[in-house]
Amino acid sequence: MDEPARIGRRVQRMRSELGLTQRQLAEPSYTSAYISTLESGKVRPSETALRFLATRLGTSYEELTTGRPAHLATELRLALTDAQQTLATGAADEAAARYRRLLAEAEQLGLVSEQAEARLGLGDCALESGELPDAIGHFEAAERLLADEPLTRRARPIRGRAVAHLLAGELRYACYLLESTIDELGASGLTDPEALVLLNAAIIGPYLDMGAHARAARAAELALALAPQVGDPALVAGMHRQVARTFLAGGRVAEADASLAKAQEIYGQLRLRTDLAHCHWMRGYVQAQNGELASAERELRTARDMLSARRAGLYTAQVEVELADVLRQLGRYEEAAGLLSALLELGDSHGAVHAGGAHRLLGLMAEERGASESAEEHYVQALALLERSGATGDLADLCRLLGDLLRRTGRVEAAMDAYRTGLGHRAAPGTTTLGPAPAAPALRPARVSGSRWAAGPAE
């Protein structure tokens, strides 16, 4: 709202344009003396008074209090919706250009909520193109713009920041952001279903990468139970995509595939190309784990082609790690090595987890070819990267591979050290280094009728 003097001048101008006296404008609820005082800027009018005067002057409350025609905000919000659709169905750089123009317009008009929405869009564009520092900056700016709003309104930028840190290989910090927000929502009594589904679905990935399977299972259970209360189909689809990971971790391959099928159907209907590509990616991973290598290769190539067409460089490189593993299992080493080398050429922008995965696969292929020295070098590099990221489950497996290699080459004491390191990473299943898990919401949602979901073991 503008200062009283500006509002007063605006009321006086509009009244004069309509040919009304102060008494005619004031009646029947106010006096001409009050209008005189208001027009001189000597009183700050209440919202009730301003809404009454806006009706009498044939304008909107927003235009009377800000001087900004209401249709401008409406048009800007429609344009933001169009930009969101561009990101969903087109290229990230085209969507980013639209969001930048809309951000400048929202700043010029002083529309804080629309500025935040534009920043969120720019953050999503930066995530897709792999510009993680830019993504974090946009999400942080959106949080600042929404600082006076309820925490539920800030769930999206917080989740965006967490995803960016996760992609950069900073698993512990991603967990911290999400866990602390879930806890704060519970403590404040803000059990908003959409915010809770968004945050709990987002935390499944880092939990699993850190070996916190019990926490991932509980997050999935809560998200599934709240899903019937969520009206956004894209959010529900994203939840199913993440929940599939917990099913797979528990060896429930058929349920994982069914969950991905639900997500894939929704994404197809909404024409969300990047999310649909992620479903192909995940289904390829599920099939690879089930030994269906030919089908897995087809799904992963489909995902890679879709992401490459959208110029989503970071995601394209990451799906190529899964594809390279399938090609390795099919005996196509040269092709697999070429994909992994391209990923490692990206440097730190792809995150420690996927870089560690690339070195692990290169080590496996070197070992299978009998090049023990090269295999050890790749395992050691992978170990350093995964220790930095906190990917506990992968670390334990890698220590086993390194230990086996060292034992076969006669270095028994070094092999024992590697095994002990791996056992240390498996010493506390279902936990993270972050302390207690987030508390359950004050109002526990009803269990979904007919659900076969079973929570993981208590920590």
Side-chain angles (χ1 to χ4, degrees):
M1 183 185 297
D2 282 346
E3 60 190 40
R6 289 184 179 177
I7 293 174
R9 288 194 296 271
R10 198 171 294 130
V11 171
Q12 184 180 37
R13 175 179 56 79
M14 291 181 176
R15 177 179 62 79
S16 298
E17 289 173 354
L18 291 173
L20 297 175
T21 65
Q22 290 179 336
R23 175 174 292 179
Q24 287 172 324
L25 176 60
E27 292 178 345
S29 300
Y30 298 91
T31 66
S32 58
Y34 176 75
I35 299 300
S36 177
T37 305
L38 186 155
E39 289 183 349
S40 65
K42 294 177 181 177
V43 64
R44 177 175 288 279
S46 67
E47 180 180 338
T48 301
L50 286 170
R51 290 194 181 280
F52 168 81
L53 293 174
T55 301
R56 298 284 290 151
L57 292 166
T59 188
S60 67
Y61 169 78
E62 181 177 323
E63 183 168 3
L64 188 60
T65 55
T66 66
R68 183 175 57 241
H71 70 87
L72 293 179
T74 302
E75 290 171 0
L76 185 56
R77 284 190 285 271
L78 288 172
L80 285 165
T81 301
D82 289 342
Q84 185 179 26
Q85 186 65 19
T86 299
L87 177 59
T89 60
D93 53 357
E94 180 185 348
R98 297 189 69 175
Y99 276 123
R100 280 192 291 270
R101 289 195 299 270
L102 295 171
L103 175 61
E105 187 176 341
E107 289 173 339
Q108 185 177 8
L109 294 171
L111 294 169
V112 175
S113 180
E114 284 71 20
Q115 289 178 51
E117 197 64 32
R119 287 286 187 181
L120 284 167
L122 285 167
D124 287 337
C125 292
L127 278 182
E128 183 154 324
S129 58
E131 299 162 347
L132 301 182
D134 288 346
I136 291 169
H138 288 305
F139 290 128
E140 287 176 340
E143 277 188 75
R144 288 193 296 271
L145 288 163
L146 299 172
D148 295 330
E149 297 286 336
L151 182 58
T152 51
R153 284 276 285 125
R154 286 177 273 130
R156 281 179 60 203
I158 292 169
R159 179 259 184 196
R161 271 208 297 148
V163 170
H165 285 290
L166 173 63
L167 290 172
E170 300 163 9
L171 275 65
R172 290 187 183 91
Y173 189 61
C175 281
Y176 165 75
L177 284 174
L178 295 166
E179 282 190 344
S180 58
T181 306
I182 293 168
D183 265 337
E184 191 177 343
L185 280 172
S188 62
L190 296 172
T191 53
D192 178 81
E194 293 209 355
L196 285 170
V197 168
L198 181 75
L199 296 167
N200 278 283
I203 208 169
I204 289 171
Y207 271 162
L208 290 175
D209 287 339
M210 292 182 72
H213 289 247
R215 291 195 184 191
R218 281 207 298 273
E221 180 186 23
L222 179 61
L224 280 169
L226 286 169
Q229 302 176 47
V230 173
D232 181 357
L235 176 54
V236 173
M239 180 273 299
H240 281 300
R241 201 177 82 208
Q242 293 301 324
V243 165
R245 294 191 61 183
T246 64
F247 284 135
L248 188 60
R252 297 154 68 177
V253 177
E255 287 165 275
D257 197 57
S259 193
L260 286 170
K262 292 177 186 175
Q264 199 164 348
E265 180 182 3
I266 296 171
Y267 288 142
Q269 291 170 351
L270 297 176
R271 298 173 61 212
L272 300 178
R273 301 291 292 171
T274 297
D275 294 303
L276 186 58
H278 278 268
C279 278
H280 284 290
W281 177 358
M282 189 64 191
R283 293 194 86 170
Y285 177 75
V286 170
Q287 290 166 352
Q289 296 299 303
N290 207 34
E292 302 167 17
L293 299 182
S295 299
E297 182 183 357
R298 285 195 298 271
E299 290 283 3
L300 292 170
R301 287 193 182 280
T302 297
R304 186 187 64 168
D305 292 346
M306 291 174 70
L307 292 167
S308 178
R310 292 178 57 79
R311 298 190 287 279
L314 176 60
Y315 290 131
T316 302
Q318 290 177 345
V319 77
E320 285 175 345
V321 175
E322 309 293 353
L323 178 57
D325 194 17
V326 170
L327 294 173
R328 177 191 70 82
Q329 293 178 68
L330 290 169
R332 291 150 63 182
Y333 286 2
E334 293 300 327
E335 193 176 351
L339 290 176
L340 296 171
S341 298
L343 170 71
L344 293 174
E345 287 173 5
L346 290 176
D348 292 338
S349 64
H350 54 276
V353 175
H354 286 86
H359 278 295
R360 174 187 173 278
L361 285 175
L362 287 168
L364 279 171
M365 288 189 290
E367 191 172 358
E368 289 164 358
R369 290 173 168 177
S372 298
E373 185 175 338
S374 176
E376 183 179 345
E377 289 176 0
H378 284 298
Y379 288 154
V380 169
Q381 289 184 70
L383 192 62
L385 287 163
L386 294 178
E387 283 181 332
R388 190 179 81 194
S389 70
T392 309
D394 291 340
L395 272 166
D397 176 65
L398 186 61
C399 287
R400 178 188 60 78
L401 290 172
L402 179 59
D404 289 349
L405 174 64
L406 293 169
R407 180 172 53 82
R408 281 194 296 271
T409 54
R411 287 170 286 173
V412 177
E413 193 60 40
M416 292 296 291
D417 287 340
Y419 290 142
R420 279 191 286 267
T421 301
L423 286 171
H425 288 303
R426 288 204 181 276
T431 63
T432 70
T433 60
L434 303 173
L443 299 175
R444 287 302 296 264
R447 183 173 295 272
V448 179
S449 176
S451 173
R452 296 177 56 200
W453 178 258
E459 293 177 25

